[in-house]
Amino acid sequence: MKNNLLEVNQTMKNLTILENGWVTMECLVTSRSSHASHLSVEWYVWKPGHPEKEEVVKLSRQATFLYGELATASDLKSRLRLESPSPGLYLLTIQNMTVQDSGTYSCRVEEWLLDPTNIWYRRAESLSGLTTIVVKQPDASLQVDTTTANLTVPEQGQFHLDCTILSVSSQESRFAVSWVILKTKGRGGRTSRNKDGEEKEVLLRVGLDAIFSPEASPWEGRLRFQRLSTTLYRLTVLRAGTTDGGNYSCRVEEWLPDPRGVWYKLAEEESGPISVYIQDTGSSLQSVTCSNDALFYFVFFYPFPIFGILIITILLVRFKSRNSSKNSEGKNGVPLLWIKEPHLNYSPTCLEPPVLSIHPGTID
């Protein structure tokens, strides 16, 4: 009987794979007893917290591909690929790895020979070196702009609430964005971050599937959403009122698909606050007057004929007074009292003195 010369590569490996990645493990037979021998290969895994090894897959000496109990009981079966590109080299590939695929893998090789009576018998077996695989989710690298800003907006104006994503964890990431306001219970004015008088309310939420949540009642019909780029979202508040003042911010949720196609939330970040102050323009004379038709006519239409009649009346009175004054004045403007020639009644035979009569009059 020939000596046992079966040897398998004993290289030890430690691999860290991101979820949804692929890994290929190598099982290399470096020496065997006879080139006429047949080889069977099995892969096992020791899972964390499970002391017993579990069979993953097996390639029999007849080149039959058999799934182990672990693969049969999970979706691992659809993600395995076994190939032998050259004699003695076997490659096992696991696709779309999940966190549950973490463990220590090893292959066991059996060498089979044919005895003189044409019966196959196992001549030798050998284990490869261990390959420890850690599958983890991507590190959360989500970063949102935390710069603070202050806006002063006139009443009935509009203002923009930008939400900028500075870095992402994966190219496959999708985002859910929501805008939140922290405002004081009083109407108008700048808000503070005191919890005693603060209200927290979501204006709008846009899910990773681009489904919009219902608008909150104070902003219904006054919100406009824009996605300016893959990392820049904008919410515009229209027709701002005094109660819209407050500290606004956006929340960004980063979602990734697992190998089964189920989306999970990887990270969540909140932007810096944007303090919005709504300037109360008040009720100006123009706005009040123009908003009321009766008041508009009273202020801008009725006074003109009234003033006209009043001026005409004043002019007529002054004219009549002037004419009356002229009639009572002399040549030099001084009133005079003129005496008519006295009427003298005299008779030489009359013993009584003459009677002198004086009457006021004018001289032509």
Side-chain angles (χ1 to χ4, degrees):
M1 182 178 292
K2 298 180 180 178
N3 295 330
N4 180 14
L5 300 177
L6 179 64
E7 292 182 1
V8 181
N9 188 8
Q10 298 297 308
T11 303
M12 307 290 288
K13 293 183 180 181
N14 293 286
L15 303 176
T16 300
I17 307 296
L18 289 179
E19 192 175 41
N20 223 23
W22 292 22
V23 67
T24 298
M25 292 171 284
E26 179 183 279
C27 186
L28 177 62
V29 178
T30 57
S31 176
R32 57 201 298 182
S33 302
S34 170
H35 291 290
S37 63
H38 288 188
L39 302 175
S40 65
V41 182
E42 288 181 279
W43 263 272
Y44 293 92
V45 62
W46 287 265
K47 293 290 190 70
H50 295 76
E52 299 295 329
K53 65 181 179 180
E54 298 179 79
E55 185 181 7
V56 179
V57 69
K58 178 179 181 180
L59 184 66
S60 69
R61 62 181 179 84
Q62 296 93 352
T64 303
F65 189 81
L66 303 172
Y67 291 106
E69 293 182 1
L70 177 64
T72 304
S74 66
D75 66 341
L76 182 61
K77 180 178 179 180
S78 61
R79 298 184 287 115
L80 293 176
R81 187 176 69 187
L82 179 61
E83 57 184 338
S84 180
S86 62
L89 177 61
Y90 302 91
L91 302 176
L92 177 65
T93 300
I94 303 178
Q95 304 172 352
N96 302 326
M97 298 196 73
T98 68
V99 175
Q100 291 73 25
D101 295 331
S102 299
T104 300
Y105 292 80
S106 176
C107 75
R108 184 182 71 175
V109 179
E110 296 177 348
E111 184 178 22
W112 293 76
L113 291 174
L114 192 63
D115 66 10
T117 60
N118 291 327
I119 298 176
W120 290 94
Y121 68 96
R122 185 174 62 186
R123 177 68 178 83
E125 68 176 64
S126 180
L127 293 175
S128 69
L130 301 177
T131 299
T132 301
I133 298 177
V134 176
V135 183
K136 66 175 187 177
Q137 296 176 342
D139 294 330
S141 301
L142 176 65
Q143 187 177 358
V144 180
D145 188 7
T146 56
T147 304
T148 60
N150 295 285
L151 298 178
T152 300
V153 183
E155 192 175 4
Q156 293 301 312
Q158 66 180 31
F159 57 92
H160 302 302
L161 302 172
D162 288 346
C163 191
T164 304
I165 301 173
L166 302 179
S167 64
V168 300
S169 306
S170 171
Q171 296 298 324
E172 298 181 356
S173 297
R174 290 186 183 178
F175 304 99
V177 184
S178 58
W179 280 267
V180 178
I181 179 174
L182 300 173
K183 64 179 182 179
T184 56
K185 294 182 179 179
R187 295 178 63 87
R190 292 187 182 274
T191 61
S192 63
R193 284 203 174 268
N194 293 330
K195 294 182 179 179
D196 297 337
E198 225 172 41
E199 294 178 342
K200 195 173 188 179
E201 190 170 2
V202 177
L203 281 73
L204 181 71
R205 186 180 189 276
V206 183
L208 71 156
D209 48 6
I211 295 178
F212 291 74
S213 68
E215 298 177 358
S217 57
W219 295 275
E220 188 173 359
R222 298 192 296 120
L223 301 179
R224 184 176 65 194
F225 170 78
Q226 293 173 285
R227 184 181 178 183
L228 302 179
S229 68
T230 56
T231 57
L232 177 57
Y233 300 82
R234 170 175 290 177
L235 184 68
T236 302
V237 179
L238 307 173
R239 303 187 302 279
T242 54
T243 57
D244 293 336
N247 291 334
Y248 293 81
S249 63
C250 73
R251 290 177 182 170
V252 178
E253 300 173 359
E254 185 176 22
W255 292 73
L256 282 176
D258 66 12
R260 301 176 181 87
V262 179
W263 291 87
Y264 66 93
K265 183 169 69 174
L266 176 65
E268 180 178 349
E269 292 290 334
E270 188 164 347
S271 70
I274 301 176
S275 298
V276 177
Y277 173 67
I278 308 300
Q279 188 174 21
D280 187 357
T281 56
S283 298
S284 64
L285 176 61
Q286 180 182 2
S287 61
V288 172
T289 303
C290 295
S291 62
N292 190 310
D293 291 340
L295 187 59
F296 174 81
Y297 283 106
F298 179 79
V299 173
F300 293 104
F301 181 77
Y302 296 130
F304 291 103
I306 294 173
F307 290 155
I309 295 172
L310 182 60
I311 292 173
I312 293 172
T313 303
I314 294 174
L315 291 176
L316 289 174
V317 171
R318 287 181 59 87
F319 181 74
K320 289 183 179 181
S321 299
R322 187 173 181 181
N323 287 341
S324 176
S325 176
K326 284 184 178 181
N327 291 333
S328 62
E329 292 178 357
K331 291 182 178 180
N332 295 323
V334 179
L336 297 176
L337 181 64
W338 295 93
I339 302 175
K340 287 185 177 181
E341 183 179 355
H343 178 72
L344 183 62
N345 295 323
Y346 176 72
S347 175
T349 61
C350 187
L351 297 177
E352 294 181 1
V355 179
L356 182 66
S357 298
I358 301 174
H359 302 279
T362 59
I363 300 176
D364 296 330

